[in-house]
Amino acid sequence: MKQVKMGAQTLLYPMPAVLVGAMVNGKANFMTAAWCGIAASTPPAISVALRRARYTFEGVEVSGAFSINVPSADQARIVDYCGIYSGHRQDKSDIFQVEFGSLKTAPLIAECPIKHECKVIHTLDLNSHVLIVGEIMETFMNADCLSDGKPDPAKIDPLIYSTGTQQYHRLGEAVGKAFSMGKK
Amino acid sequence: MKQVKMGAQTLLYPMPAVLVGAMVNGKANFMTAAWCGIAASTPPAISVALRRARYTFEGVEVSGAFSINVPSADQARIVDYCGIYSGHRQDKSDIFQVEFGSLKTAPLIAECPIKHECKVIHTLDLNSHVLIVGEIMETFMNADCLSDGKPDPAKIDPLIYSTGTQQYHRLGEAVGKAFSMGKK
């Protein structure tokens, strides 16, 4: 196999395209982020990389709380909108149906299949970005994305961001069962 | 939309299923991880959550280096194998074609479309897991996964892990162009 040296590049497949929510200057704001991952199970934690200049960052820093909203593929257009237009210039407080759980500073997007209320537990300065690590305090799901009470990827129909081509994709065909197909 | 309170859960869609490589006791070892995300652009950084008990963790801690190998969907079986069998009991040093770049303690999997050599720059204790943040020192790609010198998701054919159903999936149909379809 011929290998090509690419230089150090932020290539990871797949990536999500989540909507990070925060209250900024008294209003809900949402930005799109692909640099998001689960960080721990006990307590459940999630990380997201934000640039300091982001409007959302201001809200996360002041309130110590944020939301992670996992969109479905049919929300691609509004997700992209939230990635293009900054809250510095564009009021995004009324583009979604906003709800709250216990954290009144973590605005949740009702339309998204999955939404997490998060409390900041660590911030890690990584120069270009600050890696925000939040404890997931509560997870809400749309009832119609569950099968037998469990999250159903087919119903969630998650939005996938592909770096390089900068395309959004749907989830494709199943190729096998984890913790099973690799057994000796 | 009816909302269901799920308790705090580590639900994120999509997730990758990468192979984390490290040298442990003089041999290359690889484990599967879904809790991985890009953390910064300058310098390029990537994070992965590891349990302290993992054999791979030992190698990362001692050497301060690791690799992130992004597999393709046709590698699902061997990826799953690396997630089921621990290096504590199973020698996984010869199941891949292992190559090295400049970091002699970051074993790279030649068969994987994308591989990153990483140097640990932060470790964050999150109780159940340690979040390892690595600076990406170099990225290698298989030449046949490039189109016009750029990463091509269709050729990479990335492996997607869906939590909940614990299924591996392929990338599905394109739904639109990022930084474009959401323009006013």
Side-chain angles (χ1 to χ4, degrees):
Chain A
M1 242 156 297
K2 203 188 151 222
Q3 306 291 336
V4 181
K5 231 173 162 170
M6 305 288 290
Q9 288 209 28
T10 53
L11 297 173
L12 179 63
Y13 294 86
M15 287 195 212
V18 301
L19 292 161
V20 186
M23 293 302 290
V24 198
N25 300 320
K27 280 184 166 185
N29 188 65
F30 302 97
M31 64 162 274
T32 310
W35 294 2
C36 177
I38 298 295
S41 57
T42 319
I46 195 163
S47 71
V48 63
L50 299 186
R51 289 185 182 273
R52 259 177 227 84
R54 291 273 179 260
Y55 192 66
T56 301
F57 183 78
E58 210 176 304
V60 177
E61 209 177 26
V62 170
S63 72
F66 63 97
S67 66
I68 297 287
N69 305 270
V70 181
S72 64
D74 60 17
Q75 291 179 286
R77 198 171 296 275
I78 192 89
V79 169
D80 199 47
Y81 175 89
C82 288
I84 294 170
Y85 300 101
S86 166
H88 282 298
R89 283 175 302 274
Q90 189 71 45
D91 181 355
K92 292 182 263 186
S93 63
D94 61 355
I95 59 173
F96 298 110
Q97 186 187 326
V98 177
E99 297 182 346
F100 291 90
S102 322
L103 289 180
K104 299 306 170 197
T105 45
L108 306 170
I109 300 173
E111 296 92 330
C112 287
I114 303 169
K115 37 249 142 183
H116 300 291
E117 292 185 283
C118 305
K119 212 168 80 179
V120 177
I121 52 173
H122 288 284
T123 57
L124 201 55
D125 185 348
L126 295 174
N127 193 32
S128 64
H129 291 72
V130 177
L131 192 68
I132 312 277
V133 182
E135 179 176 343
I136 299 172
M137 307 305 289
E138 184 63 70
T139 302
F140 295 88
M141 279 196 65
N142 282 354
D144 54 11
C145 292
L146 298 168
S147 292
D148 302 324
K150 285 185 188 163
D152 185 334
K155 293 178 177 176
I156 294 166
D157 186 20
L159 184 65
I160 301 171
Y161 173 65
S162 294
T163 189
T165 51
Q166 302 188 333
Q167 282 278 348
Y168 296 112
H169 289 262
R170 283 208 144 78
L171 198 63
E173 55 163 1
V175 294
K177 186 89 180 153
F179 310 108
S180 168
M181 71 184 292
K183 279 193 185 149
K184 285 189 275 205
Chain B
M1 245 157 295
K2 202 187 153 224
Q3 306 292 334
V4 180
K5 232 173 162 170
M6 304 289 290
Q9 288 208 29
T10 54
L11 297 173
L12 180 63
Y13 293 87
M15 287 196 211
V18 300
L19 291 162
V20 186
M23 294 303 288
V24 197
N25 301 319
K27 280 184 166 184
N29 187 67
F30 301 97
M31 64 163 274
T32 310
W35 294 2
C36 177
I38 298 295
S41 57
T42 319
I46 195 163
S47 71
V48 63
L50 298 185
R51 289 185 183 273
R52 261 177 227 84
R54 292 273 178 258
Y55 191 66
T56 302
F57 183 78
E58 210 176 304
V60 176
E61 209 176 26
V62 170
S63 72
F66 63 98
S67 66
I68 296 287
N69 305 271
V70 182
S72 65
D74 59 17
Q75 292 178 286
R77 198 171 296 275
I78 192 88
V79 169
D80 199 47
Y81 174 90
C82 289
I84 293 171
Y85 301 102
S86 166
H88 282 297
R89 282 174 304 275
Q90 189 72 44
D91 181 355
K92 292 182 263 184
S93 63
D94 61 355
I95 59 173
F96 298 109
Q97 186 186 327
V98 177
E99 298 182 345
F100 290 90
S102 324
L103 288 180
K104 299 307 173 197
T105 46
L108 307 170
I109 301 173
E111 296 92 330
C112 287
I114 304 169
K115 37 249 143 183
H116 300 290
E117 293 185 283
C118 306
K119 212 169 79 180
V120 177
I121 52 172
H122 288 283
T123 58
L124 201 54
D125 184 348
L126 295 175
N127 193 33
S128 65
H129 291 70
V130 177
L131 192 69
I132 312 276
V133 182
E135 179 175 342
I136 300 172
M137 306 306 288
E138 184 62 72
T139 302
F140 296 88
M141 279 196 64
N142 282 354
D144 54 11
C145 292
L146 298 168
S147 293
D148 302 324
K150 285 185 189 165
D152 185 335
K155 294 179 176 175
I156 294 165
D157 187 20
L159 184 65
I160 301 172
Y161 173 65
S162 293
T163 191
T165 50
Q166 301 189 333
Q167 282 279 348
Y168 296 112
H169 288 262
R170 282 206 144 80
L171 199 62
E173 56 162 0
V175 294
K177 186 90 179 152
F179 310 108
S180 169
M181 72 184 292
K183 279 192 186 149
K184 284 187 275 203

